[in-house]
Every structure is written in C-alpha cells, then in structure tokens.
Amino acid sequence: MTARVRNRIIIAAGIAVLIAVTGFVCKPGDAGGGYGPYFTGMNASLKAAGIAQPRAALDMDRLDANIALVTRAIVPPLRYRIVMKSLPAPDLLLYIMKKAGTKRLMPFHLSHMSEMLRHAGPGTDMLPGRPFPVAAVEAFYDALPAHLRTEALHAVQWLIDSKERLAEYRDFAARRNLTLRVNLEIDVGLHRGGARAPEELAPLLDLITANPGRLVFSGFMGYDGHVTHVPFFIGSRESAIRKEFAKVMVRYAAFVDYGRNKFPSLFTGDLSFNGGGSTTYSLYDASMPVNDVAAGSCLVMPSTFDTFTLAGHIPALFLAAPVLKKMDGFGVPFIEAFHSVVAWWDPNTALTFYVSGGGWSDIILAPAGVSINALTGSPPNENMLPSQGMLNGSKKVALSVGDFVFFHPLQGDALMQFDEVLALRAGKIEARWRPFASRL
C-alpha cells in the first residue's frame, strides 16, 4: 500500500468518524413530558366542563394583572384607549373598560363599532384605528337605530387621512344635516398615511374652519407601530428603541405646535392627541404631546410581543385543541420506508397525534415535547377552516384522546377564530363569551 493510498484511507476514516460524532452530538434528545401544574389544571377544568371543541381560554387573574400594569403606567393627564382589534369580544371589552376605568375605544371595524355602541352606553368615545370610505360610513349610520345615530355623533371621532376624504365627510354631513367629529392622521415615522409634515395640515384645518356646522376638529392620531422594529448596528436594542421613540415625540410635537400657532381657534377644549400601542405604551409620560394612549394586545400577551417595554406582562390567552387521535409511528405518507430511521434518529416522532382544528399558531406550550409536523403543517392562519392538525411526540408525552394541546396565539385577534371564549378564574370557568359576529 502506497503512502498516498494510506493517507487517503486515514483521511476518509477521519471524515467518517467526524460525521458519526457530529451525528451523535446533533441527534435530538427525548423532549417528551407532561403539562406542568398550570396546564394540568386547565386541561382538567375544560374536560370537567364537557368542553370537546377548540376554544380560546382566557386566564382572568393574569388579565387583571396585565390591566393593572397598564393603568399604573397610563395615569392622568394621559388617558387609556382600548384597542378593540386585539380583544375582539364585546363582553371582554366591557370587562376591561370597567376594570381599567375607561370608556375610550379604538375600533377597526364598523360592525364592532355599532355593537359596542349598543353595549357600552353613553359616554363612550371611539377613535377608529383606520379611515373608512365615506360610503361605508353612510351605510353604518343607516343601519343604526335612530337613538344610536345621535349617540354616534358624540361617540365617534372619524379618522381622516387626506383633504379629499375630509371633503367627502363634509358632503356626507351636509346631506344628512350632521356635525361630525374628525381626528386627523399624522405621519410620525411609520409612513402609512396622513399628513407627512406639519404644513400639510393647513388645507385640512382650513376646511374644518370653513365648515363649523359640519366638521369639528377633535385631535390627531400618530401611530408609532414602527418604533420597536427599528434596526440597529451598534449599542443595544433598548437604546435604539428609546432613541427612535424620542424622534417620534419630536415629530408629533411639531404637528401640535403648528396647529396651535396657525389655527388657535380649533385647538381648544378636550382634544385627543392619540399615539401608542401595546409595545410602546409604557414609554409615554405627561411631558409628551400625546395625551391619549392606545393599547390592547399587551393585556393578553400573545407570542409576538416580546420586548423590554412589556416587562412584567404575562400570557393570559391560550388556544386549546382537543386530541382526536393518538397513533404509533411518524405517520407521514410516501416515506413509510424511512419511518423507522426517523424514529431512531428523533425519538420525538414516535407518536402521532391529531387535534381538532389547527393552523392558529406554531407555538405549543403544553404538554412538553409535542410539536407540529413540519412536513404536513400549514403556516399559521393559512387555512381559515382547519380540519385536523398533525402533531408528533415521544413515548414520554403524557397525552391521551380527549386531552387538550395548548397553543400560544401569535395575536390577540385569534379570538375571532373561535365560537366561544372561556374566561377562567383560579383555573375554573367563570364565564363564556362570544367574539364579535363579523370581521367587517
């Protein structure tokens, strides 16, 4: 054997050993287990109540703790406005309004607005989170009972993003002999619409001044949803966020100062200078131009709200899906010849579970070691009417047919995908609420 051949054999053997060692080190361990005390109790409560369909489960004790954090941060002269889109159930909103001591709401859907006008009563203040086509607003008024049409005139600040839309609202008000409150959208860095510079306010404020019987100026809305996504290359994420937020406040103040200096007659009384969001609400204080702070998702803490600004908030909303089937093996078609190899390599594929529904989230909280099958699972929210979702786990997973798998939703909006929201207090079902009937 020549030295060259011998060296090649040694190198090949070394590579083989390296591959074997790497494979051994990277081989997944068995992650299977049970629920833990918290989800053991929730699983037992749902089963004892005869729940056998997918449900949204809301921990009221955790919700109360999150509400307390918000109300301790948003204190007078700041006022708290509840974002309805993130908490889309009338009874849930009414509970939060009472607990937080606010009647200020931020709706995103006209059907939700009309329903809350019916439930929340006089004194409710609604600032939509987006502008609506004037034809939709006209249909909204036509559908309201007569007594609620009057209430809506006092309750709603219609969001306006352009002079053209403002003129359409003026014409609608003239046709119906109405006086509409209007809130102007300003761009404080998100670039999603509205006045981009203070000087762009002039034609809108001129139009409001010229139509006192039809339009009433009620304030500004400058959403700062981009702040916690600011890119940074040096320093810390927290430092970058705080710097960007400071810039937003400078921009916002420029709009307010311009309006007060150029149109002092409009800038009187109780105006709403709205800003905020769940990821930034805790950054506001009384020294800033904003006096109306919106937040919603932080009360239930879905999985996509992991930021230092929400330190102390705890997840309160979970999605519970009952197990329909439990089977041995990996269970994926067309690769049956490799099932034994897959099971040897990854013990967490030894069992297959099918849950009722699925596709709401890709984060499973309990029981330990259960995961969505990557080869068959749909991306979250891709399938709006899910049938049954395929999960896998090891032999150690303590899960039987009829038990529940608990998911962490990506957004609070997930409530809209369920027929019923179960409100649990101390682990027991306290109430059953329904989400809004329509998404429009």
Side-chain angles (χ1 to χ4, degrees):
M1 180 182 298
T2 67
R4 179 178 295 181
V5 172
R6 184 169 57 250
N7 289 340
R8 287 180 178 177
I9 292 174
I10 292 172
I11 292 172
I15 293 173
V17 170
L18 180 61
I19 292 173
V21 170
T22 302
F24 180 78
V25 171
C26 296
K27 188 176 185 297
D30 192 325
Y35 286 108
Y38 183 79
F39 287 108
T40 293
M42 189 175 293
N43 183 59
S45 292
L46 300 189
K47 292 173 70 174
I51 306 297
Q53 295 290 338
R55 291 290 184 265
L58 182 63
D59 186 320
M60 300 300 290
D61 300 304
R62 292 187 174 198
L63 175 66
D64 287 351
N66 291 335
I67 293 172
L69 290 174
V70 171
T71 54
R72 282 200 293 269
I74 304 176
V75 296
L78 301 182
R79 298 168 295 193
Y80 174 40
R81 187 175 298 275
I82 305 168
V83 178
M84 291 170 52
K85 175 180 179 294
S86 307
L87 306 157
D91 289 309
L92 172 58
L93 288 166
L94 292 170
Y95 177 88
I96 295 169
M97 290 171 72
K98 183 177 180 180
K99 195 78 177 178
T102 183
K103 298 201 78 173
R104 292 173 175 266
L105 298 171
M106 179 171 282
F108 284 76
H109 302 80
L110 291 167
S111 63
H112 299 181
M113 287 175 62
S114 60
E115 194 161 347
M116 289 309 293
L117 280 172
R118 291 176 170 86
H119 291 302
T124 303
D125 185 279
M126 296 190 186
L127 171 58
R130 60 174 174 171
F132 293 107
V134 70
V137 174
E138 194 159 4
F140 165 80
Y141 272 101
D142 287 343
L144 288 175
H147 71 286
L148 287 182
R149 291 179 194 172
T150 302
E151 178 62 31
L153 295 178
H154 303 289
V156 182
Q157 304 180 49
W158 295 104
L159 186 64
I160 300 295
D161 61 327
S162 67
K163 181 183 177 182
E164 292 73 20
R165 196 181 306 277
L166 183 60
E168 292 175 344
Y169 275 58
R170 176 205 56 195
D171 294 344
F172 164 64
R175 289 195 302 273
R176 298 300 185 91
N177 194 27
L178 304 173
T179 302
L180 302 178
R181 299 166 70 207
V182 292
N183 190 294
L184 304 184
E185 185 175 8
I186 58 176
D187 181 1
V188 293
L190 182 61
H191 307 320
R192 196 170 65 178
R196 294 165 294 181
E199 294 75 18
E200 293 185 14
L201 291 171
L204 288 87
L205 295 174
D206 278 333
L207 191 59
I208 295 171
T209 302
N211 293 274
R214 296 292 169 246
L215 303 173
V216 175
F217 176 67
S218 66
F220 293 142
M221 187 189 82
Y223 181 46
D224 61 18
H226 63 292
V227 167
T228 54
H229 301 284
V230 60
F232 65 96
F233 305 99
I234 59 174
S236 68
R237 179 169 180 252
E238 178 176 345
S239 175
I241 289 172
R242 290 190 182 278
K243 287 179 181 178
E244 182 61 29
F245 180 75
K247 293 178 183 178
V248 166
M249 290 300 99
V250 170
R251 296 184 192 113
Y252 207 121
F255 284 99
V256 175
D257 291 344
Y258 177 87
R260 283 178 173 159
N261 291 332
K262 300 292 186 180
F263 297 85
S265 63
L266 295 181
F267 282 72
T268 61
D270 186 21
L271 300 179
S272 296
F273 297 125
N274 174 264
S278 280
T279 59
T280 57
Y281 86 84
S282 62
L283 301 177
Y284 285 88
D285 62 46
S287 69
M288 298 169 183
V290 169
N291 63 10
D292 186 274
V293 183
S297 293
C298 61
L299 300 185
V300 295
M301 275 302 285
S303 64
T304 52
F305 285 77
D306 180 20
T307 173
F308 78 93
T309 56
L310 293 178
H313 284 263
I314 48 179
L317 178 63
F318 309 101
L319 312 180
V323 176
L324 298 175
K325 307 168 186 175
K326 178 180 179 180
M327 299 178 289
D328 289 329
F330 191 42
V332 176
F334 305 118
I335 59 169
E336 289 86 355
F338 300 98
H339 282 183
S340 59
V341 175
V342 172
W344 168 83
W345 169 254
D346 186 357
N348 300 295
T349 62
L351 296 176
T352 293
F353 304 93
Y354 279 92
V355 294
S356 180
W360 312 295
S361 172
D362 55 4
I363 300 175
I364 297 176
L365 297 175
V370 176
S371 62
I372 295 171
N373 186 289
L375 298 177
T376 64
S378 299
N381 296 324
E382 179 182 85
N383 192 338
M384 293 294 99
L385 291 172
S387 168
Q388 51 188 326
M390 181 181 180
L391 311 178
N392 292 116
S394 79
K395 296 286 188 179
K396 293 182 180 179
V397 170
L399 190 63
S400 300
V401 172
D403 285 331
F404 286 84
V405 174
F406 295 96
F407 298 79
H408 194 183
L410 305 179
Q411 300 282 345
D413 314 26
L415 286 171
M416 285 294 295
Q417 296 176 286
F418 296 84
D419 292 333
E420 197 173 48
V421 181
L422 304 177
L424 292 93
R425 177 84 62 187
K428 304 298 181 183
I429 297 176
E430 179 180 77
R432 300 179 183 224
W433 296 333
R434 297 190 69 82
F436 286 110
S438 170
R439 299 188 184 193
L440 303 177

